[in-house]
Amino acid sequence: MGASALNRPDSRDFARLFLADTPFIDTRSPGEFAEGAFPQAVNLPLMDDEQRAQVGLCYKQQGQQAAIDLGHRLVNGPVKESRIAVWRAFAETHPDGYLYCFRGGLRSRISQQWLQEVGIDSPRIIGGYKAMRRFLIQQLEASAQHRFIIVSGQTGCAKTRLLQEVANAVDLEGLANHRGSAFGKRLGGQPTQIGFENALSIALLKRRHASPQAAIVLEDESRLIGRIAVPEVLRESTMRAPLAVVEMSLAERVEHTFHNYILQNLSDWQTHAGDVAGFAAFAEELRQNLATLQRRLGGHRHSQLLSEMNAALVAHVRGNPEAHRAWIEPLLRDYYDPMYAYQLGLKAGRVVFRGSYAEVSTYLGEAH
């Protein structure tokens, strides 16, 4: 695949690139990438963090040309060959890909030139990460002016699953890798705030592009999803949006909670760490999650629930996971339900529909 085969121009058509899930080579240093990136980007840096720091210091003290010369000395010989090898492998696997650095400057031009020397055409993104990030901030502000329908309901109403079945929905909890409650941690940790905002802006852009006139469906979230903050510009807009409320029996919600927070979480942990270590980590996480609610629950109620949780964990390890329902039900009924009822009461004027899971799903599918 030579440069003459594709000869694709460098681009600043950010909307097209994001809508197409274009693969990106991010040539920034690992530290820069860790602070915030795009969902479709892979970090294949020109310089590592230490090399970048050395070149940056040289630039400040001696100017651009001296910094360029130092960069070439640091990334030379086998190091240079290894950089080109991984870029080439990515470009051959993703012939529609683009590369960028922070501002679309020296690092991406050098990377592009080195690839051209081995016959690979890999166009750059003009303006780099900084310009794309600015574009996504602007798009997030534009998306906040769009119409929304917010799905609400008591804890355990399978709202996330409902959103995943609705064509014009964006799953905020999925993007934040957190279920949004004290028990909502997921393996893999959460993205950075910037990474979340980038992914959110892209998801909203796709929904607006696919159905410009249709309302976007979101779940009713608090300000924080785990440690990730819902951008204020979006939160202000959704706090005025109409609500569709899912109604489920306590028994149904206990069942959903049991399946997702017990069976699924344990499966994830054991896949990650093995059966024994996975169960131990799963059990400790449950206890820690309950501990975060101790002040709100009060000492006596927390002690009761912890005792029931520990008894359930003993039964579980002996082959009876069903015992977890003994603490899940009172936690939902006596803690989460009153809190939800109070919060929904503050939003009562925004409720436009109430119904079962299936009825809300049908309503959302027909809403425009």
Side-chain angles (χ1 to χ4, degrees):
M1 181 180 63
S4 59
L6 294 177
N7 196 29
R8 291 178 297 140
D10 297 341
S11 178
R12 62 168 76 248
D13 188 352
F14 306 139
R16 179 185 66 82
L17 295 169
F18 286 125
L19 288 170
D21 287 328
T22 303
F24 297 141
I25 296 177
D26 187 326
T27 66
R28 297 177 301 155
S29 70
E32 292 173 286
F33 186 83
E35 291 177 2
F38 306 120
Q40 63 271 50
V42 173
N43 188 214
L44 303 176
L46 173 64
M47 295 183 290
D48 62 28
D49 292 326
E50 177 59 29
Q51 292 165 341
R52 174 175 174 260
Q54 292 181 46
V55 170
L57 181 61
C58 180
Y59 179 87
K60 290 179 181 178
Q61 295 177 342
Q62 303 178 44
Q64 185 183 68
Q65 189 56 52
I68 293 173
D69 293 341
L70 175 59
H72 280 290
R73 291 196 300 273
L74 292 173
V75 186
N76 203 354
V79 176
K80 176 180 176 180
E81 291 174 5
S82 69
R83 300 285 196 270
I84 295 173
V86 293
W87 295 336
R88 180 172 190 163
F90 184 92
E92 290 177 341
T93 305
H94 305 89
D96 55 338
Y98 283 73
L99 60 84
Y100 62 83
C101 59
F102 182 63
R103 293 186 180 87
L106 283 172
R107 285 181 286 180
S108 60
R109 285 203 295 268
I110 290 170
S111 305
Q112 185 182 54
Q113 179 183 338
W114 288 357
L115 279 170
Q116 288 173 342
E117 289 171 359
V118 295
I120 299 292
D121 169 67
S122 188
R124 293 185 304 120
I125 295 176
I126 299 168
Y129 174 85
K130 186 175 183 180
M132 289 191 286
R133 168 70 176 158
R134 187 184 307 116
F135 169 80
L136 290 179
I137 291 173
Q138 294 168 347
Q139 290 302 308
L140 185 56
E141 292 171 350
S143 293
Q145 307 308 312
H146 198 82
R147 289 194 306 114
F148 295 96
I149 295 176
I150 309 302
V151 176
S152 188
Q154 293 169 301
T155 300
C157 280
K159 298 182 291 294
T160 296
R161 187 179 72 199
L162 179 61
L163 262 65
Q164 292 169 348
E165 297 172 357
V166 174
N168 212 45
V170 172
D171 179 8
L172 297 177
E173 293 182 1
L175 296 176
N177 198 38
H178 196 283
R179 291 192 177 98
S181 70
F183 291 81
K185 292 180 183 177
R186 285 177 167 170
L187 283 178
Q190 294 191 263
T192 64
Q193 181 68 34
I194 291 174
F196 169 77
E197 291 171 4
N198 287 342
L200 172 59
S201 182
I202 293 167
L204 292 170
L205 174 65
K206 288 179 177 179
R207 293 292 177 259
R208 288 165 48 212
H209 178 79
S211 304
Q213 305 305 318
I216 296 174
V217 181
L218 301 175
E219 185 173 340
D220 193 9
E221 302 286 356
S222 60
R223 186 179 66 85
L224 291 176
I225 306 174
R227 59 168 176 75
I228 294 294
V230 177
E232 195 60 29
V233 65
L234 179 65
R235 182 165 163 74
E236 289 178 359
S237 179
T238 56
M239 287 176 68
R240 300 187 296 269
L243 292 175
V245 179
V246 182
E247 296 179 328
M248 274 190 182
S249 69
L250 177 59
E252 290 174 304
R253 293 187 291 112
V254 169
E255 185 62 29
H256 176 78
T257 303
F258 170 70
H259 181 272
N260 281 274
Y261 289 80
I262 304 301
L263 301 184
Q264 186 59 56
N265 278 6
L266 176 59
S267 176
D268 291 345
W269 267 115
Q270 291 184 326
T271 299
H272 173 73
D275 288 353
V276 175
F279 189 92
F282 157 77
E284 181 58 25
E285 185 174 75
L286 279 183
R287 295 186 186 101
Q288 290 178 358
N289 293 339
L290 186 63
T292 64
L293 298 178
Q294 183 171 0
R295 183 178 61 82
R296 293 182 178 178
L297 288 169
H300 178 67
R301 186 159 53 168
H302 172 263
S303 295
Q304 284 183 321
L305 289 171
L306 180 59
S307 177
E308 290 169 348
M309 178 183 286
N310 285 330
L313 287 167
V314 171
H316 194 165
V317 81
R318 293 173 177 170
N320 178 26
E322 310 297 325
H324 286 286
R325 291 186 175 86
W327 64 266
I328 292 174
E329 181 171 331
L331 183 64
L332 292 180
R333 182 189 62 233
D334 301 332
Y335 174 72
Y336 280 107
D337 287 3
M339 183 169 58
Y340 168 79
Y342 171 76
Q343 293 171 345
L344 185 62
L346 300 177
K347 309 168 188 175
R350 293 166 47 202
V351 175
V352 295
F353 188 84
R354 290 177 180 266
S356 67
Y357 182 99
E359 290 167 340
V360 172
S361 178
T362 299
Y363 172 78
L364 294 174
E366 295 173 348
H368 298 288

